[in-house]
Amino acid sequence: MSVSTSKTMAGGVGLPDKTASANRRSMSVNTKAFLLFLLILISGGAIWELVVSLRLLSPLIPAPSLILSQGFELIRDPFYSNGVNDAGIGIHLLASVQRVLTGFLLAAAAAVPLGFMIGMSAVLSKAIDPFIQVMRPVSPLAWLPIGLALFQSSESTAIFVIFISSIWPILINAIFGVRSIPRTYLNVARTLEANRWMIVRKVYLPATLPQIVTGLRISLGVAWLVIIAAEMLIGGRGIGYFVWNEWNNLDIANIIVCIVLIGLVGIVLDRLLSLVEKRVKYEH
Amino acid sequence: MNTDPLLKINRVTKSYKTRGKVFDALDEISLDIKEGEFISLIGPSGCGKSTLLNMVAGLEDCSTGQIVLDGMKIEGPGVDRGMVFQSHALYPWLTVFDNIMFALDCVMKDASKSEKEALANRYLDVVKLTAAKDKKPGEISGGMKQRVGIARAFAINPKVLLLDEPFGALDALTRGELQDELERIWEEDRRTVIMVTHDVDEAILLSDRIVVMGHGPKAKVLDCIEVDIPRPRQKAELMDDPRFTALRKKLVGMLSDESIA
C-alpha cells in the first residue's frame, strides 16, 4: 500500500527530472517518502504523547506509549483461549475473517452465475436493474434484523449480512462485464459455430474475469468494513465484538490497537485479490 | 472446375427500421461467385458493402432475396465461411497459437489434439508467425494480429473466405506487405474469397473481379470489372503496368463520381 501510494504521490508532486538527475546525491523518491512517513509517524506520536501528558484530552484517551505496551501485550499471545469470554485477539480476528470469507464466497458463488445470466439478456438486465439500484445504496446493516428473523442465529446472521454487502458489487460488475464484451468477440464465436457452453467458458468467462475480480475486490473491502459493525451488534466472537467489549471496559488503548490490526488485515485481504486481478488482466 | 457458381447472391435487399422509419441499405443485389474466384467489393463508405459481407457470413439476415452457398441457403453463421474481421478480433486472453486452436476446437470436433496442433502450426508458418506463437495479441503489432486473423480463417478450411477491410486499420507500409503476402498465400490454394475494401490498389492487386457498389441508401451494384492482369502479382511491379494504371483510373473515376452524387 505505502509503496504504491508513494509512487502516485511522486507522480503528482515529483520534482522535474533534470533536478533529480543533476543532483546525484539526492535520494530516490521512495526513500524520501519513507523518511517523511517516519517523520510524520514519530512527530505525530510525540505530539500526541505530549498532549496526553499535559491532560489536554479526555482522560479516556491513552498515550501512544501506553498503546504500544498494551498492543505488545495483546499480540504477544494472540491465540490463547480461556473459554468463550476470554480469548486472544488472533482468535477474534480469525473469527471475523472466517465470517467475511464465508459470506463473501457464498455471494460470489451466487452473483457470478447470476450476473452472467442477467448480463446475457438485455431484457433481464433492464428488468433487474431497478432492484439492484434500490438495494445497492442500503447499508447492509439494515439487513441485520432480517437476518435475525430469518435465521434466529447470530452466526448465520453475520454471514447473511456479509453476503448482502458482497453481492451487489460482484453482481453489478459481472452484469456490466458481460454487457460490455465487444460484439466482434461474439461474432467470431458465432461464425465458428461455437456452442453456448463453449462461448460461456471460452469467451464470456475470460473476457469478463478482470471485471469480476474487480467486483470481488470491492466486495471484500466492503465486507471487511461491515463485519466490524455487524459483530458489535451481534456479539459472541469476532474483532468487532472485541472492540465493543473493550469500549465497555473503557480500554481505549486496546481499541486503537484493534483499529490498526483491522487495517492491516484489510490490506492483506485486498492484496490477495489484487494479485488475482493482475493474473486475469489482459491487454487488448 | 464446376461451372455453377459456388456462391449465389440472389436479389438481396437489406432494410433497417430506425425510429419507425425504414432505411433501405441495399437494393436487389445479385452476384454470382465461382469457385476459386477472388472478388472485391468496393464502394463509397456507407454503401453497405460490409453489410452485404455480414449477410454472406450469416451475421445479418437478408430482408428479401437469398444467398446460396454450394446449393445451401445461408440461414446463419457457419464454418463453411471463414471471416477475417477488420479489428482482427483475436481473443486478447489467448496466445496467438491458442486463438487458432480455439477456432479449430470449434470446427474440428472429432479431430485429435495433435492433428489440430499440427494444423495450427502449419498456418502459423504460412503467415510467418511461428516465432510469435506463444505471445498474446497485446504483445504483437497490428500487422501481426491481422496475420493471425488470416491464419485463423484459413485454418478452418472454409469454402469461402470473407475479408472485411482486413488491412484497413494498418499503416501503409504494413498494409502493402500484407497485401503481397495475402496474394502469395492465395496463389497456393486459390480459395474463394470475398473481400470488402475501400483501397482501389488493394482490390486490383488481389482480385479476379471487382464489384463496384454505388452509394446508399438503396445501394446497387454499378459494375463488375474483370482484372485481366496475370498472376502472380506483386504490388511494386504492378505500379508500372499500364493495365493497372488504366483500371485504377477507371475505378477511381467511378468511385469519386459516386461520392459526389
Side-chain angles (χ1 to χ4, degrees):
Chain A
M1 196 66 160
S2 64
V3 173
S4 68
T5 315
S6 63
K7 267 182 192 156
T8 344
M9 278 168 59
V13 297
L15 295 164
D17 263 351
K18 60 176 181 188
T19 327
S21 58
N23 190 352
R24 293 261 84 188
R25 287 171 302 169
S26 78
M27 292 172 289
S28 82
V29 174
N30 282 347
T31 320
K32 277 189 202 162
F34 181 67
L35 290 178
L36 185 58
F37 160 79
L38 283 182
L39 182 73
I40 294 168
L41 187 71
I42 293 165
S43 59
I47 292 169
W48 184 352
E49 190 78 42
L50 186 73
V51 166
V52 170
S53 66
L54 291 173
R55 295 171 197 280
L56 292 174
L57 290 177
S58 148
L60 284 174
I61 301 299
S65 51
L66 184 69
I67 296 170
L68 277 177
S69 66
Q70 283 206 24
F72 181 72
E73 205 53 41
L74 263 183
I75 59 172
R76 203 167 49 95
D77 183 13
F79 295 106
Y80 81 89
S81 176
N82 301 326
V84 189
N85 289 321
D86 188 14
I89 191 151
I91 288 183
H92 287 288
L93 272 172
L94 274 184
S96 301
V97 169
Q98 198 189 348
R99 281 187 192 124
V100 161
L101 289 182
T102 311
F104 166 78
L105 289 175
L106 285 174
V112 172
L114 206 62
F116 263 73
M117 276 180 347
I118 296 169
M120 282 164 90
S121 152
V123 178
L124 208 50
S125 320
K126 286 209 165 140
I128 296 288
D129 193 57
F131 294 103
I132 297 178
Q133 293 307 327
V134 171
M135 292 305 161
R136 200 176 51 135
V138 177
S139 165
L141 290 169
W143 289 83
L144 201 133
I146 311 279
L148 285 170
L150 269 175
F151 301 107
Q152 294 169 6
S153 133
S154 58
E155 189 59 35
S156 307
T157 300
I159 291 169
F160 172 73
V161 168
I162 294 306
F163 177 87
I164 295 287
S165 55
S166 300
I167 200 158
W168 308 120
I170 307 176
L171 194 60
I172 290 164
N173 273 44
I175 295 172
F176 183 73
V178 171
R179 307 256 355 117
S180 56
I181 291 179
R183 181 109 215 120
T184 44
Y185 289 177
L186 301 176
N187 279 344
V188 170
R190 284 176 67 203
T191 58
L192 294 167
E193 293 185 58
N195 60 43
R196 194 104 179 132
W197 175 235
M198 185 97 169
I199 293 179
V200 168
R201 209 162 44 96
K202 292 286 184 88
V203 182
Y204 277 99
L205 196 60
T208 51
L209 216 46
Q211 224 138 10
I212 289 173
V213 176
T214 303
L216 293 175
R217 198 175 161 190
I218 297 169
S219 285
L220 195 57
V222 173
W224 188 240
L225 290 177
V226 167
I227 192 66
I228 310 300
E231 285 171 345
M232 283 181 175
L233 293 167
I234 285 168
R237 205 154 256 192
I239 193 70
Y241 165 74
F242 185 84
V243 167
W244 195 246
N245 202 35
E246 294 305 298
W247 167 241
N248 287 332
N249 299 336
L250 292 181
D251 191 337
I252 307 295
N254 273 0
I255 293 177
I256 291 169
V257 175
C258 283
I259 286 173
V260 174
L261 286 175
I262 292 167
L264 292 175
V265 172
I267 291 175
V268 171
L269 292 175
D270 188 63
R271 287 281 110 164
L272 286 176
L273 273 178
S274 103
L275 287 178
V276 180
E277 209 171 20
K278 274 192 198 110
R279 278 194 65 98
V280 297
K281 224 161 82 178
Y282 54 81
E283 278 187 44
H284 285 274
Chain B
M1 196 187 279
N2 198 337
T3 43
D4 279 350
L6 176 72
L7 186 83
K8 214 171 158 56
I9 299 173
N10 191 11
R11 300 178 67 181
V12 162
T13 66
K14 182 73 187 177
S15 341
Y16 299 98
K17 251 189 201 143
T18 42
R19 290 191 204 114
K21 276 188 180 172
V22 180
F23 174 78
D24 298 309
L26 297 171
D27 183 33
E28 298 218 342
I29 304 276
S30 289
L31 195 62
D32 287 353
I33 296 165
K34 291 194 290 278
E35 192 174 350
E37 209 176 5
F38 197 125
I39 298 277
S40 285
L41 297 177
I42 198 164
S45 47
C47 74
K49 50 194 192 293
S50 283
T51 306
L52 185 60
L53 196 77
N54 281 334
M55 286 155 84
V56 177
L59 292 171
E60 286 186 53
D61 299 326
C62 308
S63 299
T64 65
Q66 57 182 359
I67 302 174
V68 179
L69 171 60
D70 209 9
M72 296 273 284
K73 189 176 172 221
I74 288 172
E75 310 256 21
V79 295
D80 48 2
R81 286 145 285 154
M83 185 102 170
V84 177
F85 297 84
Q86 177 178 9
S87 56
H88 65 79
L90 302 175
Y91 295 130
W93 53 87
L94 295 179
T95 63
V96 164
F97 183 76
D98 286 341
N99 263 288
I100 298 177
M101 281 303 280
F102 173 79
L104 292 171
D105 283 338
C106 289
V107 175
M108 304 170 66
K109 292 196 173 69
D110 303 322
S112 73
K113 195 162 181 251
S114 58
E115 243 177 292
K116 288 183 275 194
E117 284 174 350
L119 255 178
N121 279 322
R122 200 182 109 208
Y123 279 96
L124 279 174
D125 185 49
V126 167
V127 297
K128 297 175 183 160
L129 275 181
T130 307
K133 66 183 266 192
D134 293 323
K135 291 204 165 131
K136 297 266 174 76
E139 301 164 335
I140 59 178
S141 70
M144 287 162 93
K145 282 181 213 168
Q146 206 49 281
R147 281 165 199 262
V148 184
I150 292 169
R152 177 174 64 184
F154 270 83
I156 63 165
N157 194 24
K159 287 177 187 159
V160 185
L161 271 171
L162 307 172
L163 313 181
D164 188 8
E165 300 195 29
F167 311 129
L170 304 177
D171 63 90
L173 220 63
T174 316
R175 195 188 309 152
E177 210 175 284
L178 275 185
Q179 285 163 351
D180 277 339
E181 195 127 329
L182 183 60
E183 158 72 5
R184 175 183 66 79
I185 298 167
W186 185 81
E187 290 289 349
E188 282 173 20
D189 58 1
R190 301 235 170 184
R191 218 72 68 102
T192 313
V193 179
I194 307 176
M195 176 176 75
V196 164
T197 182
H198 53 242
D199 182 334
V200 173
D201 295 0
E202 179 174 291
I204 301 172
L205 172 73
L206 292 164
S207 315
D208 296 313
R209 216 152 36 109
I210 298 171
V211 176
V212 186
M213 291 175 66
H215 63 86
K218 291 206 164 195
K220 290 182 182 4
V221 171
L222 293 182
D223 206 351
C224 281
I225 298 168
E226 301 272 346
V227 182
D228 53 357
I229 304 172
R231 293 176 188 265
R233 303 173 191 152
Q234 273 260 308
K235 192 163 191 179
E237 293 163 19
L238 221 54
M239 293 299 159
D240 305 319
D241 193 311
R243 286 169 295 195
F244 173 84
T245 327
L247 257 178
R248 186 174 202 277
K249 200 168 169 186
K250 184 173 170 185
L251 281 165
V252 171
M254 286 178 85
L255 288 173
S256 51
D257 286 351
E258 269 314 298
S259 311
I260 296 161

